[in-house]
Amino acid sequence: MLSPDGKKRVIITNVSPKVEEGRFPAKAIVEDDIVISADIFGDGHDVIAASAYIRHAADRLWRELPMRFVTNDRWQTAFSAERKGTYTFKVTAWVDHYTTWKNGLKKKYEAGQDIGVDLLIGAGLLRDAASANQREAVRLNTWAAQLEESTDPGQAVFLAHDPEVAAVMYKHRYRDAVTEYPTTYRIEVERKKAGFSTWYELFPRSASPEAERHGTFNDVANLLPHIAKMGFDVLYFPPIHPIGEVNRKGKNNSLKANPGDPGSPWAIGNRLGGHKAIHPELGTFDDFKALIKAAGDYGIEIAMDIAYQCAPDHPYVKEHPQWFTWRPDGTVQFAENPPKKYEDILPFNFETDDWENLWKELKSVIDYWVGAGIKVFRIDNPHTKAFAFWQWMIGEVRAEHPEVIFLAEAFTRPRVMERLAKAGFNQSYTYFTWRNTKQEIEQYMTELVHTEMRHYFRPNFWPNTPDILPPILTHGGENAHIMRVILAGTLSSNYGLYGPVYEFGMNTPHGSKEEYIDNEKYEIKHWNWDQYTRIGDIITRLNRIRRENTALQSTWNIQFADTSNDQILCYIKTDANTGNQLAIVVNLDVFHTQGAHIRLPMDKLGIGYDEHYIVSDLLGGGKYRWFGDFNYVELNPYLMPAHIFTIIKEQNHD
């Protein structure tokens, strides 16, 4: 059987952005400049034209965006995502017979050849277009007549190349000869905080100014000025629900709790309630809502931890026993990651025959807290729950509340983390925590930014968590804490840390484990929140620099620069819309002064190789006059392990 597409001579392939050929939407942020591109080519030497069409979910009509040739059969166009929500787009291409004709006409005229017949051919193209376009028929027929009746070949060529004629003819195409890529793709455009956020994690129960007293939401409210002054805009709490009393863990994760041990907040639920209840010592529901409002007054959003798991005495266990796995001895299977055992936590069985009711109940937990005013959720261990559940739940919640942000706390295998992002998580924890060398950092950032991951995996860099004290912090002390937070906050537009442990530089591990001794997960701490630390001061500076420099508010604009020393990492970030240009230079050696010649990409910066320019260090102070692409830097980690240079081209006053 002959193909019905026999007249379509143009091929479209490698469309971008796409995620699994359109199965999942690509991700973007409102006001992003979104580039749509594709490989487009045809047979022979005829000129090709192409257009992308976009449409917001709230619109009825498509908007056409002409595409332009870039290089090597790659075409692209761009648009600004002015509204949140879902955009769809498709790509079309066709042989542009009019442009092919007018280009050939000009070549023949310039070669001194007779173009009489060619003018008649062009007139025929114009009249064909007129017959298909009644709105422009008069003008098209007039132009056709001018070509047919022309006695001045030069004037005819000038008319053929008139931009007004070209604009009208661009819209004319033979529909049965237009190639339309068969897949229509989606782009989910989210609010700005999904792409630029600064997280601070604390345990509310440790917020009391008085030793031996359980902290409350009101105590946290008193800390808001401190957190806001440091420059954080997301305040994240571990679970705030009643904590299990059965099999409660003691200090340092010991199997037996002593009287007064508070247990782990991730062991959720007891006789007082479960995932929709608040631990009574933290305060009331009204106290929590008041804290959300007070935080908002400081420009801070409260993020809740949602851990879909239960303590043995969670009400779900008695009310819905079918949601759990029961062992032959009549006990419920607790969580295990052999050889580790978590006797205080019971996982849900996502293969239960009652899975539909389980899914609905778990979604209702999110709905409940969204109703209380929460818009940001950090999801604990999502990789241990069904992918299909996440795709359904996140999709349902965000369909009604598109402002909600979900952060996936999954330190696991790459394909699993990627799938969670595709399923709908707006931000994701990453391997940054363990990427330390220049080569490791450059390779990892290249993977995140310059592969298809860029379209669905939005990283959030954390140098520490309550569960993770990486060796670089253990061995590197204060210098390492400063260096790593600067990397986190300048490499990624989303970053967070667990404090005040981080700014206090606490780094004693639990034996040989990569976790803190006397872990706050299992005991209440009393902190001197007013204590000055050098780490805290630099974090405050860093966050101010992030707010004031738009180049740091995107992860995708990074370009690494060559350095002559592998202990010196250098990268630039630029924002074309504001002209903000930064060069970040970091000493990765936390014990020794290191220096290097760095080679900046001058073409990217728009500065000539023979020009002077000023670099001003926003972090440590100092201003320098540099020349060309090669310049020398030296960093003492005991003074400041990094420069954050703003780059300003010198004005030519000649």
Side-chain angles (χ1 to χ4, degrees):
M1 179 181 296
L2 293 177
S3 169
D5 298 330
K7 297 178 70 175
K8 299 177 179 180
R9 296 170 50 203
V10 180
I11 302 298
I12 304 172
T13 187
N14 294 329
V15 177
S16 177
K18 64 180 179 183
V19 182
E20 287 197 12
E21 201 53 45
R23 182 175 182 181
F24 303 100
K27 290 183 171 69
I29 300 299
V30 67
E31 297 181 7
D32 271 359
D33 291 326
I34 299 174
V35 175
I36 298 172
S37 61
D39 290 337
I40 302 174
F41 55 92
D43 61 89
H45 302 288
D46 289 340
V47 175
I48 291 171
S51 282
Y53 290 83
I54 63 167
R55 183 172 64 189
H56 190 272
D59 296 338
R60 183 176 62 87
L61 300 177
W62 291 91
R63 173 185 166 197
E64 182 176 5
L65 303 174
M67 302 181 76
R68 63 178 180 85
F69 174 80
V70 181
T71 185
N72 197 26
D73 293 324
R74 195 68 180 171
W75 291 65
Q76 73 177 38
T77 188
F79 72 99
S80 178
E82 298 172 350
R83 291 180 285 172
K84 293 177 289 185
T86 301
Y87 287 82
T88 55
F89 77 90
K90 57 185 178 180
V91 176
T92 65
W94 61 96
V95 173
D96 186 344
H97 292 286
Y98 183 79
T99 301
T100 301
W101 167 79
K102 72 176 184 180
N103 289 350
L105 179 74
K106 185 176 182 181
K107 290 178 182 178
K108 291 181 180 181
Y109 172 74
E110 291 175 344
Q113 298 178 10
D114 180 18
I115 60 171
V117 175
D118 297 278
L119 294 178
L120 296 178
I121 293 172
L125 293 173
L126 291 167
R127 293 198 185 279
D128 284 347
S131 65
N133 187 348
Q134 294 301 313
R135 180 180 299 177
E136 298 288 355
V138 173
R139 287 203 296 170
L140 287 164
N141 283 321
T142 298
W143 292 328
Q146 290 174 353
L147 291 180
E148 292 166 341
E149 299 166 4
S150 175
T151 58
D152 183 345
Q155 187 64 31
V157 172
F158 181 81
L159 173 63
H161 284 265
D162 188 307
E164 187 177 359
V165 179
V168 174
M169 287 301 290
Y170 182 85
K171 300 176 184 178
H172 174 63
R173 57 210 71 161
Y174 299 101
R175 296 299 174 186
D176 57 352
V178 174
T179 300
E180 181 175 313
Y181 196 76
T183 303
T184 298
Y185 297 103
R186 292 172 293 154
I187 303 172
E188 187 177 11
V189 177
E190 304 164 35
R191 65 183 175 113
K192 285 187 175 294
K193 184 150 285 187
F196 177 59
S197 59
T198 312
W199 294 54
Y200 189 87
E201 177 179 4
L202 65 78
F203 285 73
R205 68 187 187 185
S206 297
S208 171
E210 304 160 22
E212 307 302 325
R213 180 171 72 78
H214 194 289
T216 67
F217 293 137
N218 292 333
D219 292 324
V220 175
N222 292 329
L223 295 176
L224 290 174
H226 170 78
I227 295 163
K229 182 179 179 181
M230 290 186 72
F232 292 96
D233 56 27
V234 178
L235 177 57
Y236 153 53
F237 299 153
I240 59 172
H241 316 296
I243 297 171
E245 298 168 331
V246 175
N247 294 340
R248 175 174 288 189
K249 292 294 185 72
K251 293 183 178 181
N252 284 312
N253 199 25
S254 60
L255 292 177
K256 182 175 179 57
N258 293 318
D261 284 347
S264 167
W266 282 273
I268 297 171
N270 63 26
R271 53 193 168 78
L272 300 176
H275 285 74
K276 298 175 186 176
I278 289 174
H279 187 70
E281 290 183 272
L282 290 173
T284 66
F285 185 76
D286 287 340
D287 293 336
F288 186 55
K289 291 184 70 174
L291 174 60
I292 295 171
K293 182 180 184 305
D297 292 339
Y298 284 96
I300 297 171
E301 292 192 42
I302 301 297
M304 280 186 65
D305 188 297
I306 298 295
Y308 284 137
Q309 58 201 29
C310 299
D313 43 336
H314 192 297
Y316 283 157
V317 180
K318 287 186 177 180
E319 296 170 2
H320 304 282
Q322 71 277 16
W323 290 351
F324 302 90
T325 299
W326 292 81
R327 304 194 301 180
D329 63 357
T331 61
V332 182
Q333 176 64 57
F334 54 77
E336 289 185 283
N337 185 13
K340 294 182 179 180
K341 295 182 178 182
Y342 305 92
E343 295 89 346
D344 57 338
I345 292 174
L346 308 180
F348 289 108
N349 175 17
F350 277 83
E351 294 185 15
T352 175
D353 291 338
D354 194 32
W355 64 269
E356 292 184 58
N357 287 322
L358 172 62
W359 283 24
K360 292 176 182 177
E361 176 60 22
L362 297 183
K363 174 183 175 292
S364 75
V365 171
I366 301 293
D367 293 335
Y368 180 82
W369 294 110
V370 169
I374 296 296
K375 299 177 182 178
V376 185
F377 295 92
R378 180 265 202 190
I379 304 296
D380 186 72
N381 284 335
H383 55 291
T384 61
K385 288 80 181 175
F387 296 112
F389 164 72
W390 294 123
Q391 187 172 349
W392 170 81
M393 188 275 284
I394 294 174
E396 289 287 306
V397 170
R398 285 181 48 78
E400 187 173 353
H401 304 284
E403 72 280 5
V404 172
I405 293 171
F406 292 94
L407 167 64
E409 185 269 338
F411 295 105
T412 184
R413 302 185 308 281
R415 302 295 87 81
V416 176
M417 294 169 67
E418 292 164 15
R419 185 67 179 200
L420 290 167
K422 293 175 183 178
F425 280 94
N426 312 92
Q427 297 180 7
S428 303
Y429 281 66
T430 70
Y431 300 133
F432 163 76
T433 316
W434 299 276
R435 297 296 185 264
N436 297 305
T437 69
K438 177 183 176 184
Q439 182 182 26
E440 289 171 346
I441 293 169
E442 289 182 349
Q443 286 182 346
Y444 190 49
M445 289 302 298
T446 298
E447 179 185 2
L448 292 173
V449 173
H450 296 298
T451 69
E452 286 196 356
M453 286 184 71
R454 183 254 183 271
H455 299 308
Y456 61 86
F457 190 95
R458 190 178 290 127
N460 192 323
F461 281 6
W462 289 68
N464 78 325
T465 75
D467 295 299
I468 302 170
L469 171 61
I472 183 67
L473 299 184
T474 298
H475 303 306
E478 180 182 82
N479 293 350
H481 281 73
I482 293 170
M483 181 265 289
R484 291 296 292 178
V485 75
I486 291 171
L487 284 173
T490 57
L491 288 168
S492 175
S493 56
N494 295 302
Y495 96 93
L497 57 83
Y498 157 51
V501 168
Y502 197 93
E503 61 262 36
F504 289 170
M506 302 180 69
N507 63 344
T508 304
H510 186 186
S512 61
K513 300 177 181 179
E514 289 188 16
E515 60 185 59
Y516 291 93
I517 190 68
D518 301 327
N519 199 299
E520 196 171 2
K521 292 192 300 180
Y522 307 105
E523 58 183 274
I524 296 174
K525 299 288 189 178
H526 178 252
W527 306 112
N528 178 6
W529 292 93
D530 295 325
Q531 175 184 339
Y532 171 84
T533 69
R534 180 166 174 259
I535 299 171
D537 178 65
I538 292 174
I539 289 171
T540 301
R541 287 191 238 173
L542 171 67
N543 289 341
R544 185 188 67 249
I545 293 168
R546 280 166 50 88
R547 290 194 307 273
E548 295 175 352
N549 289 270
T550 56
L552 293 177
Q553 296 171 18
S554 172
T555 302
W556 318 121
N557 57 346
I558 191 169
Q559 183 170 337
F560 287 98
D562 294 333
T563 71
S564 61
N565 181 349
D566 282 346
Q567 293 298 329
I568 297 291
L569 179 71
C570 179
Y571 44 98
I572 67 166
K573 287 200 159 189
T574 63
D575 180 1
N577 293 327
T578 64
N580 187 219
Q581 300 192 132
L582 302 177
I584 298 94
V585 189
V586 183
N587 180 1
L588 302 177
D589 183 345
V590 298
F591 298 114
H592 304 97
T593 297
Q594 296 285 349
H597 282 92
I598 62 173
R599 185 178 187 180
L600 296 180
M602 308 305 286
D603 293 341
K604 179 72 173 179
L605 298 172
I607 300 174
Y609 288 86
D610 58 351
E611 292 184 315
H612 286 93
Y613 51 100
I614 302 298
V615 296
S616 297
D617 189 359
L618 303 175
L619 188 62
K623 181 182 291 187
Y624 311 92
R625 188 171 187 251
W626 282 6
F627 177 81
D629 54 341
F630 276 103
N631 290 276
Y632 184 78
V633 296
E634 188 172 275
L635 289 161
N636 180 341
Y638 293 94
L639 298 177
M640 185 64 74
H643 294 302
I644 302 178
F645 288 128
T646 180
I647 303 172
I648 302 174
K649 185 176 180 178
E650 276 194 341
Q651 298 297 317
N652 189 344
H653 300 292
D654 295 342

XYZ file of all heavy atoms in Angstrom, residues 11 36 55 77 115 130 181 197 214 230 273 285 304 319 331 346 427 430 438 465 481 487 508 526 554 570 606:
213
model
N 11.923 15.640 6.907
C 12.039 14.745 8.058
C 12.254 15.577 9.321
O 13.047 16.528 9.335
C 13.225 13.776 7.889
C 13.057 12.951 6.606
C 13.367 12.864 9.109
C 11.827 12.083 6.580
N 12.689 25.372 21.970
C 12.176 24.184 21.276
C 13.069 23.958 20.067
O 13.302 24.884 19.279
C 10.721 24.378 20.833
C 9.817 24.591 22.046
C 10.233 23.189 20.011
C 8.388 24.973 21.691
N 0.660 25.890 22.970
C -0.673 26.220 23.486
C -0.700 25.948 24.986
O -0.327 24.864 25.438
C -1.750 25.403 22.778
C -3.180 25.752 23.216
C -4.206 25.041 22.347
N -4.131 23.595 22.479
C -4.805 22.739 21.704
N -5.579 23.198 20.729
N -4.687 21.443 21.882
N 13.487 27.460 18.077
C 12.761 28.686 18.373
C 12.652 28.772 19.884
O 13.059 27.847 20.604
C 11.375 28.704 17.713
O 10.773 29.990 17.884
C 10.445 27.647 18.319
N 15.403 35.893 -16.887
C 14.546 35.398 -15.794
C 13.060 35.541 -16.134
O 12.213 35.456 -15.241
C 14.852 36.132 -14.483
C 14.616 37.645 -14.626
C 16.268 35.830 -14.003
C 14.705 38.396 -13.306
N -2.955 32.941 -3.249
C -4.143 33.796 -3.212
C -5.419 32.968 -3.217
O -6.397 33.300 -2.539
C -4.125 34.753 -4.399
N 5.428 16.408 13.216
C 5.938 15.328 14.053
C 4.780 14.696 14.807
O 3.927 15.408 15.350
C 6.997 15.856 15.025
C 7.826 14.742 15.622
C 8.822 14.122 14.881
C 7.585 14.298 16.912
C 9.566 13.086 15.416
C 8.332 13.264 17.462
C 9.320 12.653 16.706
O 10.052 11.622 17.235
N 15.398 28.219 45.485
C 14.978 28.135 46.881
C 16.186 27.849 47.758
O 17.179 27.266 47.315
C 13.916 27.035 47.065
O 14.417 25.768 46.648
N 10.816 20.741 76.027
C 10.478 20.390 74.652
C 10.126 21.655 73.875
O 9.334 22.485 74.328
C 9.291 19.429 74.659
C 9.047 18.723 73.359
N 8.555 19.365 72.238
C 9.219 17.414 73.011
C 8.429 18.481 71.251
N 8.832 17.296 71.694
N 19.553 35.056 58.074
C 20.535 34.220 57.397
C 20.225 34.053 55.912
O 21.086 33.610 55.152
C 20.612 32.844 58.069
C 21.239 32.858 59.451
S 21.458 31.181 60.112
C 22.811 30.589 59.077
N -2.918 9.682 67.576
C -3.199 9.992 66.181
C -2.043 9.654 65.266
O -0.996 9.156 65.702
N -2.961 22.691 66.500
C -3.143 22.948 65.068
C -3.177 24.456 64.811
O -2.588 24.943 63.834
C -4.437 22.284 64.592
C -4.662 22.376 63.113
C -3.955 21.577 62.230
C -5.590 23.278 62.595
C -4.165 21.670 60.860
C -5.805 23.379 61.240
C -5.094 22.565 60.364
N 6.907 20.665 55.088
C 6.646 19.515 55.951
C 7.292 18.264 55.396
O 7.382 18.080 54.180
C 5.135 19.270 56.078
C 4.434 20.152 57.056
S 2.698 19.670 57.270
C 2.886 18.039 58.010
N -6.870 -0.115 62.236
C -8.010 0.239 61.390
C -7.916 -0.363 59.991
O -8.938 -0.670 59.367
C -8.107 1.764 61.285
C -8.406 2.453 62.613
C -8.243 3.966 62.511
O -7.935 4.461 61.399
O -8.412 4.656 63.544
N 2.947 -11.153 63.517
C 3.440 -9.789 63.693
C 3.519 -9.095 62.335
O 3.567 -9.731 61.284
C 4.827 -9.774 64.356
O 5.756 -10.468 63.515
C 4.761 -10.450 65.725
N 6.903 0.605 60.394
C 6.220 -0.391 59.576
C 5.943 0.209 58.200
O 5.289 1.252 58.100
C 4.892 -0.820 60.213
C 4.933 -1.276 61.680
C 3.527 -1.657 62.132
C 5.900 -2.437 61.867
N 11.604 18.768 42.794
C 13.013 18.874 43.144
C 13.490 17.518 43.660
O 12.682 16.702 44.117
C 13.246 19.946 44.220
C 12.883 21.356 43.809
C 13.141 22.359 44.927
O 13.703 22.034 45.976
N 12.729 23.599 44.702
N 20.429 14.821 45.605
C 21.395 14.433 44.583
C 22.613 13.756 45.204
O 22.731 13.619 46.423
C 21.879 15.667 43.807
O 22.709 16.454 44.683
C 20.722 16.508 43.290
N 37.508 17.955 41.551
C 37.175 18.783 40.398
C 36.535 17.941 39.302
O 35.503 18.320 38.731
C 38.440 19.467 39.881
C 38.242 20.306 38.628
C 39.566 20.896 38.153
C 39.385 21.652 36.859
N 40.676 22.156 36.327
N 22.730 16.246 55.975
C 21.358 16.005 56.427
C 21.465 15.361 57.814
O 22.558 14.966 58.236
C 20.566 15.057 55.491
O 21.013 13.710 55.697
C 20.736 15.442 54.025
N 33.272 22.948 55.763
C 31.881 23.400 55.852
C 31.662 24.653 55.005
O 30.639 24.779 54.317
C 31.509 23.685 57.314
C 31.204 22.464 58.125
N 32.173 21.593 58.548
C 30.021 21.967 58.584
C 31.620 20.617 59.249
N 30.311 20.821 59.291
N 29.913 25.831 47.378
C 29.672 25.015 46.188
C 28.184 24.739 46.007
O 27.633 24.904 44.910
C 30.442 23.694 46.288
C 31.947 23.725 46.035
C 32.549 22.360 46.342
C 32.249 24.117 44.593
N 31.386 15.339 64.471
C 31.821 14.086 65.087
C 30.924 12.947 64.615
O 29.708 12.980 64.838
C 31.770 14.173 66.621
O 32.567 15.278 67.047
C 32.286 12.885 67.249
N 19.548 21.319 72.884
C 19.364 22.705 73.314
C 20.472 23.520 72.677
O 21.665 23.316 72.950
C 19.429 22.818 74.838
C 19.294 24.232 75.314
N 20.342 24.959 75.833
C 18.225 25.079 75.324
C 19.941 26.170 76.145
N 18.661 26.271 75.855
N 19.642 30.187 38.642
C 19.415 29.099 37.694
C 20.548 28.094 37.833
O 21.699 28.470 38.096
C 19.358 29.612 36.254
O 19.313 28.529 35.331
N 36.742 26.306 38.755
C 36.244 27.609 38.312
C 35.085 27.400 37.354
O 35.126 26.527 36.485
C 37.358 28.399 37.631
S 36.831 30.031 37.023
N 31.264 38.074 26.479
C 31.139 39.240 25.611
C 32.263 40.240 25.794
O 32.085 41.446 25.598
